[in-house]
Amino acid sequence: MNNSENPTALIMIFGATGDLAKRKLFPSLYRLFKRGKLSERYCIIGVARRELTNSAFQESVRQSIEEAEGHHDDLNEFITHFYYHSHDVTDSSSYLALKTLANDLDTHYQLEGNRIFYLAMAPEFFGTIADHLKSDGLTDVDGFKRLVIEKPFGHDLPSAIELNNRLRQAFAEEEVYRIDHYLGKEMVQNIEVIRFANAIFEPLWNNRYISNIQVTSSEVLGVEERGRYYENSGALRDMVQNHMLQMVALLAMEPPIKLTDEEIRSEKVKVFRALKSLEGEAVKENFVRGQYGPSNKNNEPINGYRQEPMVKADSNTETFVAGKLIIDNFRWAGVPIFIRTGKKMATKSTKIVVQFKDIPMNLYYQHEKTLNPNLLVIHIQPDEGISLYLNAQKSGDTMNATPVKLNFSNNSVDHMNTPEAYERLLYDCMRGDATNFAHWDEVALSWSFVDKISQVWENQQAEQFPNYEAGTMGPKAADELLEKDGFHWWPVESGDYR
Ligand code: NAD
């Protein structure tokens, strides 16, 4: 593990003219530079299909950073470390020219032979690029070599295995950094700290004191221009297989014996292994799929999913998923973990609500209702923070218990911008810390869980689609899923949990 605080590396970004590079990677690299987290000996080669001169590429890097971060005088200096290589992913001679450029820059900037290959490209290219990186000698270096790839990692378990086998011809497992950008988010990383650094939570973090956990990740946007991709993916593959299950693993794992990437990932893997697999009828009982239909609220017509570009008129693709997960182990037996995620919902919000069990006997009345349960809410995005809901007495109001909220908001306490997920992840990768990347074992286990659900859904046309109106919190069946167990979704859209 390279734990230097200012690691040195040559970073090659494949797909450097694409959306991900422009919106996330260049601004993140600049923010690392601003925070003093990039060594002075850094160098980036942008690789993409189009013909560009170095200076035209540098200008496009400048532009994308200015759009995200505003104008800064030191940008002139920053972008001089960017180089461009016009590339055809299938052509060996192009890799050989790239190798020569990389070796020259390695010597010029004294990069110690450290290389990061970031594939910000469509996944169908991953295998071909990895093959060539090895066969054309770009991975023959004295320092470290690391491969960073974006989701989706396969379409199902067999395709993920095929891709993984191919990548592993060129890179060892510990050299493959599979990005799940949720794992780079401040409050997702905080799940571990909240759990393992507070005496008041860990003793209660089990089936004796927790009644259920709810993880919601809702988006207001629809599929926009990504209809073609989304038709083959759907919310289950796009969100549940990776981000949602990763959050569940962090919530449910046992305390690791040390905070190392190996120990943490091995605890997460145990959660995936304990996740009760669902088949046939059990899928229908525990999972709900939805697809947004048109809406005309306030006379503002909004397209349904089937009216979006590149989407079939009778599409069977789900844009919403809700599910009940059972973790079959000592700690969690009997505690449902409910997840829901979807597009074109009422609010953009990622939140975790941990609902504690009721106290054994209620000595108070509360507006003639039963006592509110204690809740721990972890706000992941767009607001970041923690709220704890307790019951307390209002002044002068004896015998009455009123819910009060203890609030910690990252946004208001910490005026410095918290680092972007990609910024953290790039830095972690440079330092060789793989904790916040998905290990192959996690990817494989989560695919095998999700595949059984998609098999049932794909084999049966959803007659009820579309089944939720754009701008709402999903289909009625998602509410009924919780009602069966005597629960309800805490309203993340209003933020009012009383
Ligand atoms: P994009 O279509 O905007 O960019 C694709 C890039 O690949 C371009 O630079 C293009 O020049 C290059 N390219 C395409 N074909 C090529 C070829 N034959 N040879 C050489 N270069 C070629 O894509 P994007 O939105 O930047 O996404 C890239 C990857 O990241 C995808 O796997 C996507 O799923 C994933 N991703 C993107 C985002 C995002 O915010 N855009 C978020 C998460 C994951």
Side-chain angles (χ1 to χ4, degrees):
M1 192 144 90
N2 171 4
N3 259 331
S4 143
E5 289 304 299
N6 293 90
T8 291
L10 172 64
I11 305 175
M12 285 186 209
I13 300 179
F14 288 77
T17 54
D19 176 67
L20 180 68
K22 287 183 176 164
R23 280 194 315 113
K24 301 288 184 190
L25 304 183
F26 301 149
S28 294
L29 284 164
Y30 177 66
R31 287 164 63 121
L32 285 174
F33 166 78
K34 282 296 256 191
R35 285 176 205 266
K37 303 233 162 164
L38 271 191
S39 155
E40 281 164 19
R41 293 179 286 132
Y42 67 92
C43 175
I44 288 109
I45 306 181
V47 181
R49 194 165 31 181
R50 143 175 4 152
E51 296 281 343
L52 277 181
T53 60
N54 277 346
S55 57
F57 177 58
Q58 290 173 352
E59 275 317 302
S60 82
V61 172
R62 177 208 298 281
Q63 217 173 39
S64 51
I65 296 172
E66 284 184 343
E67 270 167 32
E69 303 290 318
H71 175 73
H72 294 269
D73 288 339
D74 54 7
L75 263 174
N76 285 341
E77 160 63 13
F78 179 70
I79 59 173
T80 58
H81 292 237
F82 283 71
Y83 296 79
Y84 185 76
H85 174 75
S86 162
H87 188 61
D88 176 346
V89 288
T90 55
D91 179 6
S92 264
S93 62
S94 183
Y95 288 90
L96 293 172
L98 180 58
K99 182 168 82 170
T100 306
L101 174 64
N103 290 346
D104 290 350
L105 291 172
D106 194 342
T107 310
H108 179 73
Y109 287 98
Q110 301 171 346
L111 301 172
E112 300 169 17
N114 293 329
R115 271 183 204 171
I116 294 176
F117 304 96
Y118 196 125
L119 308 192
M121 291 186 60
E124 60 260 33
F125 296 118
F126 293 173
T128 311
I129 296 176
D131 291 348
H132 277 283
L133 290 178
K134 185 177 162 75
S135 61
D136 295 321
L138 279 110
T139 53
D140 298 338
V141 286
D142 295 332
F144 63 69
K145 61 180 198 305
R146 296 181 184 139
L147 179 75
V148 185
I149 47 178
E150 281 283 339
K151 74 167 184 181
F153 194 88
H155 179 73
D156 50 17
L157 183 59
S159 58
I161 291 175
E162 197 184 315
L163 172 61
N164 197 49
N165 288 345
R166 205 158 161 203
L167 298 182
R168 295 288 300 281
Q169 300 295 314
F171 294 89
E173 171 61 28
E174 62 273 17
E175 294 171 331
V176 182
Y177 287 69
R178 298 177 193 83
I179 291 239
D180 184 316
H181 68 273
Y182 271 58
L183 295 180
K185 290 186 189 293
E186 173 83 11
M187 290 311 295
V188 172
Q189 298 192 348
N190 241 311
I191 294 173
E192 240 172 82
V193 186
I194 294 165
R195 286 190 55 195
F196 303 136
N198 290 298
I200 59 166
F201 291 128
E202 194 47 32
L204 307 183
W205 210 261
N206 56 54
N207 55 6
R208 271 179 292 156
Y209 299 103
I210 289 179
S211 78
N212 75 96
I213 297 178
Q214 303 178 9
V215 185
T216 299
S217 187
S218 57
E219 284 177 62
V220 171
L221 291 179
V223 288
E224 314 293 297
E225 288 86 39
R226 293 171 69 228
R228 188 204 302 269
Y229 158 77
Y230 204 82
E231 275 288 88
N232 289 314
S233 157
L236 189 65
R237 291 190 170 97
D238 193 44
M239 289 295 294
V240 176
Q241 182 269 334
N242 35 52
H243 313 313
M244 302 300 281
L245 289 181
Q246 283 289 337
M247 285 190 282
V248 168
L250 290 169
L251 285 164
M253 73 183 191
E254 293 299 312
I257 50 176
K258 273 190 264 159
L259 285 180
T260 59
D261 42 9
E262 291 89 358
E263 295 299 343
I264 293 173
R265 296 198 312 186
S266 113
E267 292 305 336
K268 283 166 67 193
V269 165
K270 286 187 206 153
V271 175
F272 289 117
R273 287 173 51 205
L275 188 59
K276 190 171 174 185
S277 163
L278 302 170
E279 280 174 63
E281 277 306 302
V283 170
K284 291 185 191 143
E285 278 162 30
N286 293 286
F287 266 75
V288 170
R289 54 176 162 166
Q291 188 188 76
Y292 61 87
S295 145
N296 201 10
K297 262 193 205 138
N298 309 325
N299 281 333
E300 274 179 43
I302 303 178
N303 272 349
Y305 177 65
R306 290 175 177 188
Q307 287 79 51
E308 304 281 20
M310 319 296 283
V311 170
K312 287 203 227 77
D314 61 347
S315 172
N316 196 34
T317 302
E318 78 287 350
T319 61
F320 173 97
V321 175
K324 172 179 164 182
L325 307 177
I326 298 294
I327 314 268
D328 250 343
N329 64 16
F330 247 62
R331 185 185 283 264
W332 295 114
V335 182
I337 300 184
F338 298 107
I339 56 169
R340 69 177 159 165
T341 181
K343 293 203 173 287
K344 277 268 159 83
M345 291 175 67
T347 186
K348 177 177 169 59
S349 170
T350 303
K351 280 191 182 28
I352 294 164
V353 182
V354 179
Q355 178 177 341
F356 291 89
K357 286 190 172 166
D358 292 338
I359 47 169
M361 190 178 141
N362 182 5
L363 299 173
Y364 299 90
Y365 63 91
Q366 183 194 57
H367 309 300
E368 288 147 24
K369 285 193 313 188
T370 52
L371 273 183
N372 259 33
N374 294 136
L375 301 176
L376 171 68
V377 183
I378 304 175
H379 309 265
I380 291 177
Q381 69 177 14
D383 44 333
E384 295 179 349
I386 316 163
S387 310
L388 183 63
Y389 288 81
L390 305 172
N391 292 303
Q393 180 184 299
K394 259 197 195 158
S395 59
D397 195 359
T398 50
M399 296 301 291
N400 206 346
T402 309
V404 292
K405 175 178 168 185
L406 305 184
N407 213 20
F408 162 73
S409 160
N410 238 1
N411 313 53
S412 58
V413 172
D414 177 7
H415 291 290
M416 283 168 49
N417 284 338
T418 53
E420 262 262 9
Y422 279 95
E423 184 183 337
R424 285 168 199 280
L425 295 173
L426 274 165
Y427 186 55
D428 285 353
C429 175
M430 285 192 254
R431 286 165 44 246
D433 180 350
T435 311
N436 297 309
F437 295 82
H439 188 275
W440 165 245
D441 294 346
E442 300 167 43
V443 174
L445 286 163
S446 55
W447 271 127
S448 59
F449 176 77
V450 155
D451 278 357
K452 299 211 172 75
I453 302 169
S454 36
Q455 272 153 24
V456 172
W457 286 354
E458 277 165 12
N459 288 331
Q460 211 168 65
Q461 180 72 18
E463 302 297 344
Q464 73 277 27
F465 278 1
N467 59 353
Y468 70 99
E469 195 183 338
T472 66
M473 284 309 280
K476 207 166 162 288
D479 297 334
E480 290 161 0
L481 179 71
L482 273 70
E483 284 159 15
K484 283 193 286 194
D485 286 346
F487 300 123
H488 62 81
W489 291 107
W490 291 97
V492 297
E493 62 278 26
S494 67
D496 182 4
Y497 301 102
R498 274 159 292 186

